[in-house]
Amino acid sequence: MKKFSVLIAHQHATSITLENEFYEVLKKIAKEKEKSLSTLITEIDAERTETNLSSAIRVYILRELLKD
């Protein structure tokens, strides 16, 4: 697990803790959607029902992978 600093809504700095594999897939999804990592994380943050942003990101990644 590694801690990553991220910017939410281009103004709020926070950190997330993800396994490197999840972080790499998240970057790949952002690239495929032609969005910056910050924009994608901001969208996940806005729609999350989980109390923890890192958990919400993992769930988002799982749902994206299950779409295929």
Side-chain angles (χ1 to χ4, degrees), residues 57-68:
I57 290 170
R58 286 186 195 91
V59 170
Y60 174 85
I61 291 168
L62 178 62
R63 288 181 178 151
E64 285 295 309
L65 293 175
L66 290 175
K67 283 182 182 179
D68 296 337

Side-chain angles (χ1 to χ4, degrees), residues 12-65:
H12 174 71
T14 191
S15 64
I16 56 172
T17 304
L18 292 173
E19 296 78 3
N20 286 336
E21 294 84 354
F22 277 103
Y23 190 70
E24 291 304 316
V25 172
L26 184 63
K27 290 193 307 185
K28 181 180 174 189
I29 292 169
K31 185 176 180 181
E32 288 172 357
K33 292 182 176 278
E34 298 181 351
K35 296 180 179 184
S36 71
L37 194 55
S38 177
T39 298
L40 182 58
I41 292 172
T42 298
E43 291 174 3
I44 294 169
D45 183 53
E47 296 175 9
R48 70 180 160 136
T49 56
E50 291 80 8
T51 57
N52 180 289
L53 179 56
S54 297
S55 294
I57 290 170
R58 286 186 195 91
V59 170
Y60 174 85
I61 291 168
L62 178 62
R63 288 181 178 151
E64 285 295 309
L65 293 175

